[in-house]
Amino acid sequence: MLELAWIIPLLSFAACAVLLFFGSTLQRRMGEAVGWISVAGIAAGIPLAVGSLVELARGATPVHYSFLWAPLGVRLGGASSNLHFGLAVDALAAVMLVMVTVVASCIVVYSIGYMHGDKRYSRFFAYMSLFTGSMLLLVLADNFLVLYVGWELVGLCSYLLIGFWFERRSAANAAKKAFITTRIADVGFAVGILMLFSYVPSLNFAEVFAAARAGLIPVTIVGVAAAFLFIGAMGKSAQFPLHTWLPDAMEGPTPVSALIHAATMVAAGVYMVARLFPLFIISFGSAVLWGVPALLIVGIIGLITALVAATLGLVQSDIKRVLAYSTISQLGYMMAALGMGVVGFAAAVLHLIVHAFFKALLFMCSGSVIHGCNGEQDMRNMGGLAKRMPVTYWTTWAGALALAGIFPLAGFWSKDHMMAAVWDQSLAQPVYWIFFLGLELAAIMTAAYIGRMCFLTFAGTARSEAAGEAHESPAVMTVPLVILATFTVLLGIVGMQFIGGNLFNSFVSTEMPGSMAVAGLHGLAHGEHGFNWAVAGISTLMALSGLLISAVIYKYRLVDTGLLKRYLAPWYRAALNRYYIDDFFQATVVRGTLALAEVTRICDKYIIDGTVNAVGWGTRVVVATVIRLFDDFVIDGAINVGAWVTGFVGRTSARAVHNGEVQEYIAGFVVIAAGLAGMVYLVVMLGW
Amino acid sequence: MPILTFLIFVPLVGAILILFMDRARHGYAIRWTATVASAVAFVLSLGVWVLFEPAISGLQLKEYARWIDALNIFYHLGIDGLSLPLIVLTTLLSLLSIIYSWRITDRIKEYMFFFLLLETGMLGVFCALDFFLFYIFWEISLVPMFFLIGIWGGPNRQYAAIKFFIYTLIGSLAMLLAILALYFASTPHTFDMIELARQHPMAGAGLPAVLVFWGLFLGFAIKVPLFPFHTWLPDAHVEAPTAGSVILAGVLLKMGTYGFIRVSLPILPEASRQFALWIAILALISIIYGALCAMAQKDLKRMIAYSSVNHMGYVMLGIAVSVAAVGPGAISEAVHHSRITALNGAVLQMVAHGIITGALFFLVGVIYERTHLRDIDAFGGLAQRMPIYAGLMMMASFASLGLPGLAGFVAEFLVFLGAFGIYKLITGLALLGVAVTAAYFLWMIQRIFLGELRERWQNLRDMDTGELIAVVPLAALMLAIGLYPSPILAIIGSASTVLINNLEQFYQMTDVITFFGG
């Protein structure tokens, strides 16, 4: 299986090609069953991915494939230097492959129901296949080139899918915003790659890591490059302050949101940091900015993101926006855990996987709710859906409790794993307690906002006609919900030791031998010591209290929300306005660039071109004089191809061009050229 | 078989045949003659591709004949990995342009005549190895374009045509002077580019070398065009007929960058190195300034014209890097590697830009022909009505903004990869141009294709077969080069390796001489 893993993305790409070129024809024959082509392309990868994972877990060596992609000529020593298109399947990649294929399969099956009747039906599935394929390619990358290629393709697909209903202005805007925000971040990514490449003429991860470890790349450069690479990850994984595109991305159809928030796009940033983790570890001793190394920057940004997004999640009234901020917050968790170093590595990746399952589930549940309520997304107009949509109701709670981190759901294990890592690192370095406190605070809020979402949606009585007449979604939508819910419940128990334990630790240790002893970092990978009861207890307490708060306010209505809003008015207003971050970017980056463009245009028109026209006018006056003086000579002497053609055209297409002027110019230039050529001759012959 | 001579003059033969036809009675004969002549040229260029052997370094398929003995002028042709891709690009774009131009009804005879003459000129420039011949072809390519803009252009065509003509003529004049200076400085006097590159007649010449360098610079930089010599380009593009714009952006601009690589670098290595940083700075300005100007445009064609300034800036950045001064001491392997990578990227970018921008200008022509509008804000929601058109335009736009999987990315990636090793800050800033480029292309797509379809455009029809024949091959090439650039890079690399090796040998030699006090 391991040998065949490279086929997995190809299957999706093939499905995409078929749907793109023959989609409408096929749809005429098969109807909406064309969606199954996309499912087949993705799901066919599942056995390959699972097989690969099992083989790796049994101790198989990771496999590499590569072919020559861009020869770069011959180097001084005679050796040729080339860029390869390289793929690799190791433990990290294999786990991701399984997650992406399984989650994406469920989402695409669900889409068959959700997109029913859409006028660009087959196109939608073509894009979904491309999206999944690109993500799978990114996961398999074993060098920066392939990583970047997959990275950008994922960005393209998010653009196409967020703006899928492009007739809506807001959708088109959101698509553009997503692409450009991540693209700006990608400048950082590119700079990071270029910095490393300028020291090691290779883009291969293993070679770059080896060079960094051996000191061929100065450690400060490694650190700065890692920080630049992280900027790219901030864009893709929606880290503060580049998170603003993600809530807007809700404009896409709900399955797209599920895919973006779970299996693809946002997962790419965290995966990138994980994949390039050795660079962050190696450079830990070297400060990048204000005495902070790159790894700690990852942690700090993650912490801020986790907190900020959680507070924003508390005030949203759009059901999908609650989930959007939740995703941002959870990605912050993962980054923060990665920031703990080796000890947090496996935990962060585990949370990435687990989160993908329950977040895809939650999004598809919200889609089911929206579907059932006839397009209504505002939770204030819902309520009482528990009885009308039982499957959706129960599966939503499964996802919600997992997100909150309630035992024994999958989210509990991964979250506990991360918090234990923070705990361990804090024991080694007390300043890290800030992370512990901040993330536990975010945990309360997480439980509170997801509890609020569930209670507002399902509890009480219907607050609108649409909610009153809501109906459960068809089986093609609910069956994927049940499958994902099952994973959400069981993944933690079954997969915890298997995924979280030895497999990742072995990856970490093969990639970073000897780097465990970085000063200031807790050296051991987590899982090598026992279960931390204290952390589990604290986290559970936090989650329960968050749920309790939300129940008190939104289920039992013991506290008046109007009162809360009044007491917290300044914060509430700022939070509703997303802390003015969007406005800030709009006023500075967007307006600034447009203003600069306008200034440039005016400068070009009046200064640069104005000068050109002025010179042209002046020359014309001079030439006209010269012409008058040498008229006869010019007419005889203008043996010029241009003049001949002019004559030809003059006869055949008289008056088409005002050719008198041209003759004037040509003649003038012949005179000047002859004069200057004489001067050059004299200078060159006599001068030296 | 003198295949290069056949290749160059087949279009000219077609052009002369057309001269004998009657415009009114032989409309189809004229169109067919032009199509067949350019198709034969295309097939011949593919033949050249087959005959070319990347493993052999240096120039191939050389043709050599005495021409004007008194001035030591030869008819000298030959190609290498630098010119070969450009030759194929030229014949392909010419063929597609002529097919697209079947719809021209106004003075078709003169139109096709000029187009074929133009093709001969362009092919000649890329094949000529004798300066005299080079210059003649260079000028031959200038005149037909002048008439294509001046006769078949838009409302303000006369201004644009004359501006184009004068601007490039000033450039040619400066180049001519530089060529003459090189001729007189060489012993024995020669116009042979290979011989001049071997002799380095201006080595150690001080000011005269500088003047010659800037003379050539002016000739080439105007053509590229490099900031601040670019303002003829938007005017020329806006007024030019569709196929004229395609050739102008697709091929004529490349003559400028080709000139730098073929002439300036090998013949004046010292002066090139001396001013490499300046060229890199001008390239950076072109990149940022071109991108910002493009963003501010309301006319679609003008926007793409400025995007050409932006994209040709990457080519110039790559060229500057390939001769950059790197301080005293031996040339390290990293520097050598950066240079080759950047030069490969620059040449590939010439090809990629030709394909992508050629397609973009065809696509602008499609909408202009239907609506007689190019105002970006006049449209909206066209994707609903013209899905194929929207798809191709988006593909070309994404190629232009450097999306991986399409040709532009490979070229820009290599330029950046090479350039960063030498000009860190300049390259870092140039990367911002990529972000701006993404912004204005996406903004354009949004305004033209997304949103609600306006009442006014309810009856637009999608692309017809003729238009598809012109654009689809280019789209396929974007994808092919983007996915698997290895074959074309192998060819380009064969030339750039030789060039960089020769340059570095020269630098090492002269540096040693300078070190020991000459």
Side-chain angles (χ1 to χ4, degrees), chain B residues 22-218:
Chain B
D22 184 87
R23 188 197 314 164
R25 281 182 298 137
H26 300 135
Y28 271 97
I30 289 169
R31 287 178 174 86
W32 273 115
T33 310
T35 311
V36 169
S38 57
V40 170
F42 177 61
V43 172
L44 280 174
S45 70
L46 294 182
V48 172
W49 186 288
V50 173
L51 291 175
F52 182 83
E53 300 201 20
I56 302 174
S57 60
L59 290 138
Q60 304 183 25
L61 301 176
K62 280 195 259 189
E63 293 171 26
Y64 202 75
R66 288 162 57 171
W67 187 13
I68 307 175
D69 281 345
L71 295 172
N72 209 8
I73 293 171
F74 288 85
Y75 177 81
H76 189 182
L77 305 174
I79 56 157
D80 62 2
L82 167 63
S83 43
L84 178 61
L86 296 173
I87 287 168
V88 179
L89 179 71
T90 305
T91 55
L92 175 65
L93 285 178
S94 297
L95 175 62
L96 298 179
S97 294
I98 283 172
I99 292 172
Y100 182 89
S101 300
W102 272 57
R103 62 195 68 222
I104 296 270
T105 49
D106 182 29
R107 295 172 218 272
I108 184 72
K109 176 177 167 181
E110 291 83 351
Y111 183 91
M112 291 300 182
F113 170 80
F114 283 130
F115 229 102
L116 292 171
L117 185 63
L118 180 61
E119 187 174 359
T120 289
M122 296 183 297
L123 290 171
V125 166
F126 294 133
C127 292
L129 294 178
D130 185 281
F131 255 138
F132 192 82
L133 199 58
F134 179 83
Y135 188 77
I136 286 174
F137 283 125
W138 184 279
E139 293 298 306
I140 286 179
S141 71
L142 170 60
V143 177
M145 185 48 84
F146 167 75
F147 287 110
L148 285 175
I149 298 172
I151 298 177
W152 291 272
N156 201 16
R157 56 179 180 263
Q158 290 191 14
Y159 169 76
I162 291 174
K163 191 173 182 179
F164 163 75
F165 193 82
I166 296 194
Y167 228 134
T168 42
L169 201 62
I170 290 173
S172 324
L173 186 64
M175 184 173 82
L176 179 64
L177 294 178
I179 292 174
L180 289 176
L182 285 170
Y183 175 75
F184 290 126
S186 57
T187 39
H189 293 343
T190 181
F191 284 110
D192 193 300
M193 291 165 158
I194 311 300
E195 179 60 22
L196 286 170
R198 207 181 49 75
Q199 276 194 18
H200 301 300
M202 290 289 175
L207 184 65
V210 170
L211 288 176
V212 168
F213 176 81
W214 287 107
L216 290 173
F217 173 86
L218 200 62

Side-chain angles (χ1 to χ4, degrees), chain B residues 274-291:
Chain B
Q274 195 181 342
F275 299 111
L277 183 59
W278 290 100
I279 293 177
I281 289 169
L282 285 179
L284 173 64
I285 296 175
S286 295
I287 290 167
I288 303 287
Y289 185 94

